[in-house]
Amino acid sequence: MAVQSKAFCAGGLAPGWNLLVQGHADSGEDRFETNFLLETGDIAFHIKPRFSSATVVGNAFQGGRWGPEQVSSIFPLAPGEPFEIEVSWDAEHFHVYAPEHKVLQFPRHQRPLGAITRVRVLSDHGLAQVELAKRGLSWGDQGY
């Protein structure tokens, strides 16, 4: 997969910031993922839509091992269609949204947000926009 976007977060992540990824699912291949990285190289949060099973998987890679996968059957991507995924975080969880759906909530596993200093989006699909910004969600978090 090609690295489509990288962001460095001086001082690490903080509540109130969101990641917005918009693009076009060119094919039905499992060729898209987003990783929230620690300075150590561990992955605090890994999101991977899987076309083959129509699921979205969340996981963490720490200490040289993948943790247990958290799987959501809410699948916001369709081959040949545009998509939009928004990720927010708070003191305890990462939250993944697609228009009108909360897709996944993933625990942060005791890592402080400030230790997450990089975000990397890998994709062979066309990405129109990757934005890391402090703002409210466009949609989502309506009491879920």
Side-chain angles (χ1 to χ4, degrees), residues 1 7 19 28-29 41 48-49 56 58 64 69 88-89 100 105 112 125-126 140:
M1 270 185 280
L19 176 72
E29 297 180 25
K48 184 169 185 75
V56 176
E69 290 184 341
S88 68
W89 43 88
E100 302 178 23
Q105 179 173 298
H125 300 288

Side-chain angles (χ1 to χ4, degrees), residues 20-141:
L20 175 67
V21 179
Q22 295 175 321
H24 193 269
D26 299 324
S27 68
E29 297 180 25
D30 296 345
R31 311 278 301 178
F32 171 65
E33 65 185 56
T34 302
N35 296 299
F36 291 81
L37 302 160
L38 300 159
E39 291 179 356
T40 62
D42 285 352
I43 301 172
F45 183 42
H46 165 84
I47 310 161
K48 184 169 185 75
R50 292 183 178 161
F51 283 89
S52 57
S53 59
T55 58
V56 176
V57 175
N59 206 339
F61 184 82
Q62 297 178 346
R65 293 187 195 164
W66 286 103
E69 290 184 341
Q70 187 170 338
V71 180
S72 172
S73 60
I74 298 171
F75 193 70
L77 289 85
E81 296 292 325
F83 67 86
E84 184 170 296
I85 295 175
E86 195 160 354
V87 183
S88 68
W89 43 88
D90 58 32
E92 297 175 3
H93 296 94
F94 288 96
H95 307 274
V96 181
Y97 299 93
E100 302 178 23
H101 297 285
K102 184 165 188 178
V103 177
L104 188 68
Q105 179 173 298
F106 189 80
R108 286 199 316 94
H109 298 295
Q110 309 299 320
R111 297 291 184 133
L113 280 172
I116 302 168
T117 57
R118 293 175 291 144
V119 178
R120 183 176 59 206
V121 180
L122 303 169
S123 179
D124 284 341
H125 300 288
L127 296 181
Q129 178 180 2
V130 177
E131 179 183 18
L132 183 64
K134 186 169 186 167
R135 61 191 164 90
L137 284 171
S138 302
W139 25 252
D141 201 12

